[in-house]
Each structure stands twice: as structure tokens, then as C-alpha cells.
Amino acid sequence: MESTHPQHPHNVSVVHVVNEASGAVAEIPIDFTAHLPHTVLKCAARFNRAQEAPVLVLRADGHVLRDRQALAAALRGTNPVASLVLSISPKRSAQSIFAELDLTDENNAKRALLDMQKFVNDQDFATEFFALNGLFRLSQIVSTAKNNMTLSLALMSLHSLLEFYYVPSSPNKNHGKTRGSNTKSFAPFETLFTPSFIPTLLIILQQHPQTILHRPTTSLLIKLLDDPLFSSHLLRAIQDYVNEHPQLIPTLVGRFTTGKDGFAGLGSGVLASTLAFINALINRAMEDGEDNSGGGGHQNAGSSSTAHDSKFLFFDAFEANGLRRALVSVMWGAAASSVSSSPTGAGSSGGGTWNRDLAANAAGTSSEDGPSTAHSEMNEVAKLVVEFQRLLVREWNRRKRIPVVISPGSDHERVLVGIWTSAGLDADSNGSHKWRRLGFDSDTPRKELSRVGFLGLEIIASFTASFAENVSRFMYDQSVKASEKRCPFVKASAEVLEILFDHWEISTGCMNTTVTTFQPLLLELEHVFAITLRLYFRLWLEMEAQNTGDDVTRVGKTIRSHFRHCVNSTAITDLQGFMAFERDVLSTSYAVIRERQLSELNNDDELLQTRPFRMLREKLYASNYEFIKEQRIGCLIAGSWFPVLKEKGKLKGAVKYYRLNPNRKYLHHGDFREPGSAPSLEQLPHKIEISHITDIITGYFKNPRSPAADISNYGLASSPISPTTTLTFSLVTSIGGPVTTLAQFACTHATQYSEWVDGFNMLLDRSIATQDTAALILQLTQHEMRLGLLGITGNGFVDAVAAATGGESSSGGDRSVGGRDDAAPTDHDDSTVVEVPELPDNLAFFYQDSGAGGLQEGIGGLEALLSELNAKSLEGFDSDNE
């Protein structure tokens, strides 16, 4: 700790300085107004090292002090250091450490790597190390090391140093990448690492699940995958490795197979790092594939090549090896283990123990006073499962947008022929197929699968292959019925699939902004489809439906209501809960389902469930998300006061003010004794670069202190501890070294927590963390829909629906619904035009001429108008799609 003597001026303090070379300690008066080189020379002279001063530096908490302002902040800031260290400069250290990285003596290399950990977050060290071709030397050590500690240290060093790597930018190259505020261009991947480097990493990933190796390996692979400069090369290298070693993906999925402890004998930390790598691999492969295919939503007629492009083979491989079911199994196993080890032994309702913990994290609280490392790691697994669900919905949305075109010899026709064969149907003598027998409207199907796309075709094909005998029997039963009584198999399947797609936002791909909990039913989508389709077949009989009218949709509406009720009312925490959900769906009588549906219709306008309004809702949701995003970021720009946090709680007599720069690149902050009027940006001396934020961690985050702690927690968030304050979160960075804290926030209430934590999440284009923000977006969307319905006495809402669905407005075009143009009347037949009165100035028209009875008459007329407008608008959209 520094000590100030009265005989020294105010700008001079006596500071403890440690000579790193000898370990000697001296108290040296330091003038904070003097230039830093003069201060370094003064300290060096005290230890008889004046001649070495040009290659010496002062460090505080391992960081090089580069100017006198940094020196003053280290010794007189909010968290002053106990002493300074006089050591060799990073540039000279890079030269000596590189020389000691001896490939022939692993012990020397390990000692050099341990020394390197003090410098890996220093730009000067990194620049000199790169000039010596140090990355290539480290990759050689990774490929040849026998000792696990040596290997782990080399991997950690590579991970940190890659943040600083660049070569002088060239105007003729288009592969620039931003590091901080500078744009750099990078050398090719092949010049940085040995040819065996990536295969060695994948061998470690496949064969060595020990935490000390697994975490730094996955962390390094994730960093390379996240870097678009290296990702394409890495994807090809991984694909080549999988071709030669096809057991890699089954091995990774097999780690989620539950054993007695629920983790297949592995720690939950290994599961978390494995799933983090899987998510990064799938995400990067999907992004590269979408970039190369223009979004992946369109392709040649009837071709599924986009769905099975080589860029998407990783997703298909994990699907083929049952990753989704394995994740459900491990989550249920972990929840059961948590319940059995809890004092009460009672489970939670809704989404299970881990959904409860995720909700607690989203609220800024902890479900336990002091969570253990294993519990914290399993929470990390749960968060990564939610991230996997987001990727799953995104990929499914892409496949749903691929149109199904049944043309001769096409991929889509081959899938449909597989459905035909599984259904036990025979082709005609000339080899042709009567597709009408599968439930299409004609033998040349066009629009029946337009709502569910290629994804729907895949799911139907999977269902018929899995239940071929049942489907064959169903098709035979329908064939002996009168034609109008037959249940159209394909159309019924599409109706059920649309219900499921709408429920999980697969139709919009927006699940990442609304779902923050583990969703076992989503991961078991095919099973849920089979259950719901069985219900459809049963209700088709009980409702005495016919395929000559709109009964296909009518049965679907009834099922939509019942499905929503079953999902919301059944706790699915394990297999027993899933079976209870299945019983609830299938065993409820039609009378009960119908009664509940009628009750819902009294509270919810059925018009909202029609296709045009669902399409409008999707557009409103997207605009409301952007609106709330700007509101949340606006809170950051406005700024707010926060207490200063320590491990034991809030620090008395000290507060911080945080404020985001309007350019959204820097977070400014300053230390004050007590809150006052909001300071300006000029009054906030410190700032954090937004691009340096690598993660947002709920709860108080404690920085690791030792190399051992760095290794054990590497690549993942450290275990949060629970201070006396609640509603806390931390901004952390892993750039240039271990995970460290950039800023701590202790919010005073849940609203402030939601505004700030989701403000940063949305600023960084991350998933929403709190239910409050997700619910607010949904509520705004629902209110806008209802406000639109109140405005249908004019053309505005019909125009809004037409605009949202890509149609023409009601004020022009052949699909006018109730539109009028006094200057140029249309030639529509009067029988097809809804007469819309002039919009009244007030509500008095309800009572004019008719007394109290006029009110009921007015309401009845409004209801009739609603019904007629709905019917006419749907006719317009249907004719447009045809």
C-alpha cells in the first residue's frame, strides 16, 4: 500500500516497488506529474539497473503502465494496487521467451510458457512475438507436446495472442478485420500454423475429455470459428477430419448420454465446453452456407441441394446422431439429480429445475445462496441448450422457406415417392402416382405444402417412415369411405405442422428473442407432431368433418386451441411429464375441447388466427423488437448511477455513473462519492470500448487470480458469487488473456436491470436475457393488432394487412376490399364490394334516432362488418396465392 509523507509535495507519493529480477523491495518517492520514462529510470537506478532502463517497464497487477495517467490511476484510483513491479519490457521479454520455446526440451518450453502468461495480453509483446513467427512455434508445441500442462498453456497462449495478430493492411485485399478502432488485414491461415495443427486440436477434442485440455481446446476452436478470416479454412479442415475420422461427431454427441450421474461420467464443465463448440460449429457453417446461397431460401425447382449443401452437413450429422434427444436426456437427468439432492426433494413446475435457475439468472438473482461449481456449470449447459434451440429454429426456418415443387425427377418428388411407398400405396400401371390419394387436391400438387415448405415435407416423410404400418392402415381405411368423408393426409399434416411452427416461431425464425428456457417439446418436434396428428385424425371423426369445405382448417383451429392449453398447463420436467402431456393431448374429450375453445373465442377475436393477420403480426413483432431495442439502448445513452461492488457487497461512500456514448462505441464511467446531477461525457474520465465486451454474466463476477484458476475456468464464465446486493450483472472480456471484469452493475430494481442488461445484449446483437423485455415486445405486438382491429371502419387496417403480406392496398388494384375512390369509381360488381360508411367524428352515432337500442344495433353491425371484411380479405389473399 502506498504511504504519503508530509514532507513530500501533494503530487509525490512514496510507493513500494518490487525488482522482479532480484525480488528486492524499495520505497521510492514517485512524482505523478513526471514523464513515465523518467520515473522508470529513477526506479531502475534505485536497484542499480540504470543502464537497463531503456528495456524496463513498470507494471501494476500484471499490466504495463504506458503513461503517467495510467500510473496515477493505478496508485490513486478506486482500487489502488499495493505495489509496482519493475520488469523487462514486453518486447525484450518476447525475444527471450521465444528463444526458450525449445522443441527439444519440453521442460524449458513449459517454463517459458508459464512466463508468457504475464505478457499475452500486451500489444507490444504480441507484435514482437508475431514478428518472430511465434504463432507457428506455438502450433508446433501443440502438435508435439506430451505433457498436459505444457499443451494447455500453449493452447491458452494461442487463444490470447490471436486477439492481437495482424499484418500491415493492403488496399488490394478485401479481408480486413476490425480490432478495436483499427482495421487490419491478416495473413493466410496456412502461414500461421503447422499443417497438423487443426487435426491435433480435433484429436484432443475427440480423445481427451479432461478439463485441463478440453476447455482451452474448445475455446481456441471457437475463437477460430468466430473469426471470418479463419473460419472457412477451419470448416474445410474439420470436414476433412470428419471424413477420415467419422467417429468425431458420434463421440461428441455420446458425451450427453446420461449415466448414473446424469453426465455420462463426465463433468458438466466438459459438457458445457462441448456444446459451446457444437453451437459455434453449426452457427458458422450455417452463416457461411447462407452467405454463399443468398440466404438459403430459394433454389432450383424441386431441388433440395440447398437444404443439404456441404455447409449444412454438420447440422445434418448432429441430427443423424440424435443430438436433440441427447440434450433432452441430459437436461432431464440433471434436473432429476438436482431434485434428489435438494433438501425438499421437490421439483419445479413449468420447464424444470434448470428453467427455474435460468429465470432466476434472468431476474438477476440466484436460486441458491452459494451455488457450487457443478451447479453453475450445469446452468451454463442450460444456457447453451437455449442457444442451440435458437440455432435449431433458425435452421428450420431456412428449410421451411424452401418451396416444395413436385416436378418429375426432382429431389422433392423422390421424398414424396418415399412417403407414397411408406403409406403402402401402389403406382399405376404406367408408373405414375395419383397424388390425390395422399390427400392433395389434385394429382399435380402445388400449394398444399406452401405453408410448411421443405421442412414440412421432411417431417412428414420421417413420420411415414417411422409409422409405416399405421399410415398404411389409415390410408386403406380412408380409401373405403365416401370421398367427401376422407381425411386428406397431407393437408391434415400441413395443418398440424403450421400449428407447431407458429407456436415456436419457426415461421418467423424469431425464437431467439422470446424463448429463454429449455424447451423439451421443441427438441422432440417429430414426436409432438405424431401426437398432434393422431389427435387431428380423431377429431376429424368426432367433428364429422368433410373435405369438400373448409373443415380441414376448422379442425385445425380446434386443435390449435387445445394444443396451446396442453403446453401451458402441463409441467414437463422429465419423461413422466412428457407422457402426461401426451395423455392430456389425446385423451381429452371433444366436448371439453370445444367448450374451452368457445370460452377462448369470447376473449380472443378469431380474426387474429387467420393467415393475413398472422403475417401482419410477424411484421409488427419485428418493428416492435427494433423499437424496444432503441428504448433499451436509449437508457444506456441517458446513463444512470450504480453502487460500487466488492465481493462482500456494496462499497459505502462510493458510486459510479455509467453512460453510453451516442456513437455506441464507448461506455463512459466515473467514480463519485454520492449521486448528484447527471454528469456529462466530459466529466467521465474512463471509458470501455464496446467491441472489447465478450460476455455478459449475471451475478457478481470474481476475476481469477492464479494460473491454475485461469486454466480450470478457461473459455467459460467463472462461477458467480452472491454479494449482498441483487439484480447484478457484469461485463467481461477474454481479449488478451483470462476472463476479466470490465464493469459491474448492481441495479436498484428489476426494471432498471431489464433495461440495462438487455440494453447491452441488444447493443451486442445477443439474445434477450430477461422475460420482462420479451413480454414487453409481445404485449406491444398484441396491442397493435387489437388497435388495428378497432380501426377497420376505414381502409387503413386492410391496407396494413395488404402491405404486410405483400399485396396491394385497398385503395387500388383488383383486390380492393371495401375501398372507395370518389374521383374514380371502380367497376367492381356491387355484390362483391362491402359498403363502408364514412368514419364518424364521435361515438354519438351509436345512439342517433334509435335511443338505447341503437347501441346494440351498432355493435351488431360492426360484428357483421368484421365477418364480411374477413371473408372478403381472405378471398383476395387466397386468389393471389393461387
Side-chain angles (χ1 to χ4, degrees):
M1 186 70 65
E2 72 172 61
S3 59
T4 304
H5 298 278
Q7 63 269 26
H8 294 294
H10 178 71
N11 60 318
V12 176
S13 295
V14 177
V15 180
H16 292 280
V17 180
V18 180
N19 181 15
E20 187 178 52
S22 64
V25 180
E27 290 190 351
I28 303 176
I30 290 181
D31 183 358
F32 293 107
T33 62
H35 290 294
L36 189 62
H38 174 77
T39 303
V40 172
L41 176 60
K42 183 177 181 179
C43 295
R46 183 64 176 271
F47 294 110
N48 298 320
R49 303 179 67 184
Q51 293 182 344
E52 300 177 64
V55 296
L56 297 178
V57 294
L58 286 173
R59 294 181 179 274
D61 274 348
H63 299 285
V64 174
L65 303 178
R66 302 188 180 280
D67 51 43
R68 58 189 175 188
Q69 289 80 12
L71 176 63
L75 296 176
R76 291 186 168 181
T78 305
N79 299 307
V81 297
S83 62
L84 301 178
V85 178
L86 183 68
S87 63
I88 297 294
S89 70
K91 183 175 180 179
R92 181 63 61 89
S93 298
Q95 296 170 357
S96 61
I97 287 176
F98 179 81
E100 294 171 5
L101 290 175
D102 190 349
L103 297 177
T104 62
D105 190 335
E106 190 166 332
N107 288 330
N108 284 341
K110 182 168 67 174
R111 284 192 294 270
L113 288 168
L114 282 170
D115 289 340
M116 185 186 293
Q117 303 311 304
K118 297 182 294 185
F119 304 99
V120 289
N121 60 349
D122 188 276
Q123 175 71 67
D124 293 340
F125 176 89
T127 301
E128 182 66 18
F129 195 74
F130 298 148
L132 298 169
N133 204 14
L135 291 181
F136 193 85
R137 177 66 60 85
L138 285 176
S139 70
Q140 288 179 308
I141 293 176
V142 169
S143 300
T144 59
K146 305 299 181 183
N147 181 275
N148 285 351
M149 179 62 75
T150 304
L151 184 56
S152 180
L153 289 169
L155 291 169
M156 291 169 57
S157 301
L158 276 167
H159 179 278
S160 300
L161 289 170
L162 279 174
E163 286 296 333
F164 298 102
Y165 180 73
Y166 67 93
V167 295
S169 59
S170 168
N172 297 324
K173 294 182 179 180
N174 297 320
H175 54 274
K177 181 176 178 181
T178 299
R179 296 287 193 207
S181 59
N182 299 320
T183 300
K184 319 290 185 182
S185 61
F186 286 63
F189 186 95
E190 296 84 350
T191 65
L192 299 181
F193 309 108
T194 64
S196 61
F197 176 61
I198 296 302
T200 300
L201 293 182
L202 296 175
I203 289 173
I204 296 171
L205 183 67
Q206 181 177 354
Q207 300 179 6
H208 300 280
Q210 302 95 329
T211 301
I212 193 173
L213 295 179
H214 196 272
R215 285 190 172 184
T217 300
T218 55
S219 182
L220 181 57
L221 286 169
I222 290 170
K223 178 175 286 294
L224 293 172
L225 284 168
D226 286 343
D227 194 326
L229 213 90
F230 299 143
S231 60
S232 295
H233 179 94
L234 185 57
L235 285 175
R236 290 193 299 270
I238 295 176
Q239 186 63 64
D240 292 341
Y241 181 88
V242 170
N243 292 338
E244 295 181 10
H245 305 83
Q247 284 303 111
L248 173 63
I249 289 179
T251 298
L252 296 180
V253 175
R255 289 175 183 167
F256 297 94
T257 304
T258 55
K260 292 182 179 179
D261 60 355
F263 310 124
L266 300 172
S268 52
V270 174
L271 298 188
S273 56
T274 298
L275 186 53
F277 168 72
I278 291 174
N279 285 349
L281 178 61
I282 292 176
N283 180 61
R284 177 51 62 186
M286 287 166 54
E287 288 184 354
D288 278 19
E290 289 169 355
D291 291 342
N292 295 334
S293 63
H298 304 283
Q299 61 187 55
N300 295 332
S303 172
S304 59
S305 59
T306 304
H308 297 289
D309 186 272
S310 60
K311 296 293 184 181
F312 299 94
L313 287 179
F314 292 116
F315 178 87
D316 293 333
F318 284 113
E319 283 282 281
N321 284 278
L323 176 60
R324 282 190 282 138
R325 181 152 294 181
L327 292 178
V328 171
S329 179
V330 79
M331 291 296 290
W332 282 348
S337 176
S338 175
V339 170
S340 64
S341 62
S342 67
T344 60
S348 63
S349 62
T353 302
W354 303 112
N355 278 354
R356 176 196 65 196
D357 292 333
L358 284 176
N361 285 339
T365 61
S366 174
S367 61
E368 297 183 2
D369 292 335
S372 65
T373 300
H375 187 84
S376 177
E377 288 174 343
M378 198 56 214
N379 272 340
E380 185 66 24
V381 173
K383 290 165 63 177
L384 289 166
V385 170
V386 172
E387 176 66 13
F388 174 78
Q389 291 171 173
R390 182 189 69 80
L391 294 171
L392 184 66
V393 168
R394 175 176 155 196
E395 168 62 12
W396 279 347
N397 171 259
R398 186 191 67 84
R399 297 188 182 216
K400 177 185 175 295
R401 290 185 286 111
I402 298 175
V404 176
V405 180
I406 311 300
S407 56
S410 67
D411 294 342
H412 294 181
E413 186 192 48
R414 283 192 287 273
V415 176
L416 198 58
V417 169
I419 297 174
W420 177 281
T421 303
S422 298
L425 300 177
D426 297 323
D428 292 348
S429 57
N430 59 1
S432 62
H433 300 85
K434 300 295 184 181
W435 299 122
R436 192 192 305 266
R437 296 174 61 188
L438 274 177
F440 290 98
D441 285 338
S442 69
D443 291 329
T444 55
R446 290 194 308 162
K447 65 178 183 178
E448 285 82 358
L449 295 175
S450 61
R451 295 177 295 167
V452 295
F454 182 71
L455 172 64
L457 184 64
E458 286 184 309
I459 294 176
I460 296 173
S462 174
F463 172 80
T464 55
S466 300
F467 302 95
E469 183 178 350
N470 302 78
V471 174
S472 178
R473 187 183 309 115
F474 172 82
M475 299 303 295
Y476 174 78
D477 292 342
Q478 299 305 306
S479 66
V480 298
K481 294 183 178 181
S483 58
E484 67 275 7
K485 293 289 186 180
R486 296 172 186 170
C487 178
F489 175 74
V490 169
K491 292 174 68 176
S493 300
E495 196 72 28
V496 169
L497 285 169
E498 189 171 27
I499 293 171
L500 304 185
F501 292 173
D502 287 348
H503 179 77
W504 282 296
E505 300 290 353
I506 296 172
S507 299
T508 64
C510 293
M511 180 185 174
N512 60 315
T513 63
T514 59
V515 177
T516 58
T517 56
F518 167 51
Q519 300 284 309
L521 293 180
L522 172 67
L523 298 180
E524 292 283 0
L525 181 67
E526 291 85 354
H527 194 169
V528 175
F529 167 71
I531 294 171
T532 313
L533 188 61
R534 287 172 58 191
L535 174 66
Y536 190 102
F537 294 156
R538 195 198 91 196
L539 292 186
W540 181 271
L541 294 175
E542 296 185 14
M543 295 174 67
E544 299 181 352
Q546 298 186 11
N547 59 29
T548 55
D550 63 348
D551 283 2
V552 171
T553 302
R554 183 168 64 91
V555 176
K557 290 180 179 179
T558 303
I559 291 178
R560 184 183 294 270
S561 168
H562 181 53
F563 178 80
R564 184 168 57 239
H565 169 79
C566 293
V567 170
N568 294 334
S569 62
T570 306
I572 307 175
T573 61
D574 52 20
L575 180 59
Q576 297 301 319
F578 192 94
M579 294 172 65
F581 165 79
E582 182 175 0
R583 287 194 301 270
D584 196 10
V585 171
L586 295 177
S587 63
T588 305
S589 67
Y590 170 63
V592 173
I593 295 174
R594 182 59 178 166
E595 182 179 358
R596 186 188 304 122
Q597 184 187 21
L598 291 174
S599 177
E600 290 176 354
L601 289 177
N602 291 331
N603 301 317
D604 189 15
D605 198 318
E606 189 177 359
L607 205 59
L608 294 174
Q609 300 302 324
T610 58
R611 184 163 58 89
F613 291 94
R614 288 202 309 274
M615 296 173 68
L616 177 59
R617 176 184 173 276
E618 294 169 7
K619 182 176 181 179
L620 292 176
Y621 180 91
S623 64
N624 285 325
Y625 177 85
E626 292 300 320
F627 173 78
I628 295 300
K629 177 180 179 179
E630 291 304 312
Q631 185 273 332
R632 292 303 197 232
I633 296 176
C635 293
L636 307 186
I637 295 175
S640 186
W641 294 97
F642 294 90
V644 176
L645 286 183
K646 296 293 184 182
E647 290 185 36
K648 296 182 180 180
K650 300 177 183 177
L651 186 64
K652 295 183 179 179
V655 293
K656 279 183 175 289
Y657 192 86
Y658 287 97
R659 186 174 185 179
L660 180 67
N661 193 302
N663 64 16
R664 306 187 182 190
K665 293 182 179 179
Y666 297 96
L667 177 66
H668 297 258
H669 63 95
D671 299 306
F672 302 86
R673 292 190 176 278
E674 60 184 13
S677 58
S680 64
L681 291 178
E682 292 74 17
Q683 295 173 298
L684 302 176
H686 309 296
K687 62 182 180 180
I688 299 169
E689 193 167 343
I690 296 299
S691 63
H692 288 175
I693 301 173
T694 57
D695 203 358
I696 302 171
I697 299 176
T698 56
Y700 180 86
F701 179 79
K702 181 180 179 182
N703 288 331
R705 292 293 183 184
S706 65
D710 294 348
I711 294 171
S712 64
N713 292 287
Y714 201 73
L716 294 172
S718 298
S719 303
I721 64 174
S722 299
T724 56
T725 183
T726 57
L727 301 175
T728 62
F729 68 95
S730 305
L731 305 180
V732 301
T733 183
S734 60
I735 294 178
V739 179
T740 55
T741 304
L742 295 175
Q744 306 268 15
F745 299 85
C747 303
T748 56
H749 48 77
T751 299
Q752 185 188 40
Y753 178 85
S754 176
E755 290 173 343
W756 278 73
V757 73
D758 281 330
F760 284 114
N761 276 314
M762 299 171 107
L763 178 65
L764 298 172
D765 290 326
R766 294 170 178 262
S767 300
I768 289 174
T770 68
Q771 291 285 5
D772 288 348
T773 300
L776 185 58
I777 298 172
L778 292 176
Q779 289 170 4
L780 282 174
T781 302
Q782 292 168 356
H783 287 321
E784 285 195 40
M785 289 292 295
R786 283 162 175 77
L787 287 173
L789 285 174
L790 293 176
I792 61 170
T793 51
N795 294 335
F797 191 61
V798 177
D799 288 345
V801 175
T805 54
E808 299 175 13
S809 69
S810 61
S811 58
D814 294 336
R815 289 185 288 121
S816 175
V817 183
R820 300 194 308 161
D821 189 340
D822 296 334
T826 65
D827 294 329
H828 288 299
D829 189 340
D830 291 342
S831 63
T832 64
V833 178
V834 180
E835 290 293 331
V836 182
E838 293 290 341
L839 186 66
D841 295 331
N842 53 56
L843 298 178
F845 76 98
F846 279 127
Y847 305 97
Q848 291 175 356
D849 299 330
S850 301
L855 174 61
Q856 297 301 323
E857 183 179 353
I859 293 176
L862 182 61
E863 292 175 343
L865 181 61
L866 271 169
S867 176
E868 192 168 2
L869 275 174
N870 182 34
K872 294 296 183 183
S873 63
L874 288 177
E875 288 176 6
F877 287 115
D878 288 343
S879 62
D880 181 56
N881 288 330
E882 291 176 359

